[in-house]
Amino acid sequence: MVDSTGSRVADVLVRGEVIVSVEPSTRTGTRAGTGTGPSGAPAGAMVLDAGGCVVAPGLVDLHAHLREPGAEEAETIESGSRAAALGGYTAVVAMPNTEPCTDSAAVVRHVLHLAKGACCDVHPAGAITVGRQGRALAPMAEMVALGVRIFTDDGAGVQDAALMRRALEYASDLGAIIADHCEEASLAGLGCMNEGDLSSLLGLPGRPAVSEEVMVLRDLALARLTGARLHLLHLSTAGAVAAVRLAKAAGTNVTAEATPHHLALTEDALATYDTVFKVNPPLRSAADVAALRQGLCDGTIDAVATDHAPHPPEAKQVAFCDAAPGMIGLETSLAVVLGALVGADGPGLGDGEPGMTIERVLALMSWQPARIAGLSGAHGGPLVPGAPANLCVIDPARSWTVVPAALASHSRNTPFAGLALRGKVRHTVLAGEPVVIAEEAQR
Ligand code: DOR
């Protein structure tokens, strides 16, 4: 068992929705035969075999596009939450760039209604501005009253600095967080990949690193001015990581995330013009990837978030510049991050980072994002008697190959198709109920 308090060998007994006991294990940690449980299990208890596995608090994703309402051909809350549970997540924050946009109490209520019975807890984020148009603030207070804690115009940055300042001030008063999509639109222009030698060579318009860095620097200054809590979404450049490092050292109230794809892939993937690799912010240089990994190792970046962005084939099977940006990630994130940061057999993922362990990866994917999202009471552990039973059971040694058609997501746009990965979620338990058993979704 691994949680924020450390690791130990233990058996976990769950009754109803809560953990009732965590006792030193009667086993040695080697894989037991299916169905055989710890000798101390009460008669009639369902036993989930966790031999050879890590039992951890469920993962928490700060950044998933579940597309409902409005783009159900790409994903629904049902299919997206199933993908999340298979990936080990017990909670996800659903991005508001839906149709209609999640910018009012009415839409938040609708999303919460759709999320009843989902395979994981779904927490809608609200838009910062009405319709994500960047012109007028959305009614944040009425969304906060329904439990919304995170506001973002993700998909686009708030271009008007004065409006962003007001958003930070209002969010601060409401106890909410502004989650910032950092792209300055006039610099990003119509760019559809990282700006550099490769974009020139391929003849594709570039999206420069500075388009991210200008907004990161602006909003760090605004966070400092207002004292508000700022969270920076999907950082992708070395300059942005350096700016956050300095701001944290100066006491700015900021957290940041990076995505698995920005940790595992570089712009070189675009050499084939395959639109599956088109994403915003774009895949960057090897030096940027190294800086992101370093930022995760030294605590500059607090969380790994998927930016799971499903798109139907017709949105991707078009000319590169016309293709929708985004890639799915809920079912592959843990294995990709283990491969990139801890080092595994996954080809192309490198040897990992010195000092990185599965424990530290779980901090980045479970309890640290749970804290950022204000979900610590329910998600992210620690696993102690009385705590809600939101758990995942990870087999770190399990090798598997990503087969897009076998994924639970309605969409197939994974950049990791055909890749051999190591590490898979065996079981996921949501509020005491196993929603994934032996790698199979139960709902
Ligand atoms: O690539 C992206 N896709 N980046 C975003 O910020 C939005 C997302 C989407 O909604 O498809």
Side-chain angles (χ1 to χ4, degrees):
M1 264 180 53
V2 172
D3 65 13
S4 59
T5 67
S7 53
R8 55 214 171 273
V9 180
D11 292 323
V12 186
L13 182 64
V14 170
R15 189 172 293 129
E17 298 188 359
V18 295
I19 295 170
V20 291
S21 78
V22 179
E23 299 292 340
S25 181
T26 49
R27 292 186 290 166
T28 56
T30 54
R31 184 187 293 260
T34 310
T36 59
S39 53
M46 174 192 281
V47 177
L48 297 178
D49 173 28
C53 291
V54 171
V55 180
L59 307 184
V60 174
D61 190 10
L62 289 169
H63 194 153
H65 297 271
L66 300 183
R67 300 293 190 227
E68 200 176 4
E72 292 80 359
E73 74 284 11
E75 198 76 284
T76 61
I77 288 176
E78 185 188 330
S79 64
S81 70
R82 189 174 297 123
L86 286 161
Y89 292 92
T90 52
V92 305
V93 176
M95 289 292 110
N97 60 338
T98 47
E99 186 55 49
C101 174
T102 310
D103 63 357
S104 67
V107 184
V108 170
R109 244 185 238 112
H110 183 55
V111 173
L112 291 171
H113 172 73
L114 291 169
K116 286 194 182 117
C119 290
C120 66
D121 285 351
V122 174
H123 296 273
I128 298 172
T129 66
V130 175
R132 295 174 48 257
Q133 296 295 303
R135 286 196 278 274
L137 289 185
M140 290 192 219
E142 68 179 37
M143 293 189 265
V144 168
L146 292 172
V148 173
R149 288 264 319 183
I150 296 182
F151 290 93
T152 179
D153 274 4
D154 182 58
V158 176
Q159 303 302 315
D160 182 324
L163 194 61
M164 188 59 157
R165 174 188 178 174
R166 292 285 173 254
L168 285 161
E169 288 169 346
Y170 273 85
S172 185
D173 283 352
L174 293 166
I177 297 172
I178 294 291
D180 202 359
H181 176 113
C182 297
E183 285 193 304
E184 203 285 332
S186 68
L187 288 165
L190 297 176
C192 56
M193 69 170 289
N194 185 40
E195 181 180 289
D197 290 349
L198 188 62
S199 63
S200 299
L201 196 68
L202 296 176
L204 291 173
R207 221 170 169 89
V210 74
S211 65
E212 173 167 311
E213 289 153 8
V214 160
M215 194 170 279
V216 166
L217 288 164
R218 183 198 77 177
D219 291 343
L220 288 171
L222 292 175
R224 192 114 178 102
L225 173 73
T226 58
R229 267 282 290 110
L230 178 69
H231 177 70
L232 302 175
L233 300 167
H234 46 45
L235 288 191
S236 71
T237 75
V241 178
V244 174
R245 189 176 287 121
L246 282 176
K248 282 193 165 184
T252 307
N253 206 353
V254 62
T255 53
E257 68 182 40
T259 72
H261 47 271
H262 289 111
L263 296 171
L265 301 169
T266 68
E267 61 183 347
D268 293 348
L270 292 152
T272 58
Y273 296 91
D274 187 338
T275 59
V276 82
F277 297 109
K278 182 175 173 184
V279 65
N280 285 340
L283 300 177
R284 302 283 187 188
S285 70
D288 291 310
V289 171
L292 290 173
R293 292 180 179 201
Q294 183 54 40
L296 285 159
C297 291
D298 69 18
T300 302
I301 304 177
D302 306 85
V304 173
T306 66
D307 197 2
H308 175 85
H311 289 291
E314 59 272 23
K316 284 288 193 183
Q317 289 171 9
V318 292
F320 198 91
C321 287
D322 298 332
M327 37 184 73
I328 59 172
L330 285 166
E331 290 166 84
T332 50
S333 53
L334 179 65
V336 168
V337 175
L338 286 173
L341 293 186
V342 183
D345 294 341
L349 294 181
D351 299 326
E353 297 298 314
M356 246 313 156
T357 57
I358 189 166
E359 288 84 352
R360 294 187 64 193
V361 166
L362 289 168
L364 293 165
M365 297 184 74
S366 178
W367 45 97
Q368 288 177 189
R371 267 179 223 141
I372 292 169
L375 298 174
S376 290
H379 296 274
L383 305 179
V384 291
N390 290 314
L391 313 166
C392 67
V393 178
I394 301 157
D395 183 348
R398 167 94 158 85
S399 296
W400 60 292
T401 300
V402 181
V403 177
L407 298 175
S409 174
H410 274 178
S411 292
R412 302 280 174 252
N413 54 307
T414 169
F416 302 113
L419 191 68
L421 293 172
R422 228 172 135 201
K424 203 165 199 312
V425 169
R426 191 185 289 179
H427 318 296
T428 305
V429 176
L430 176 67
E433 194 185 326
V435 286
V436 174
I437 300 178
E439 302 180 7
E440 296 287 339
Q442 305 297 303
R443 290 185 185 169

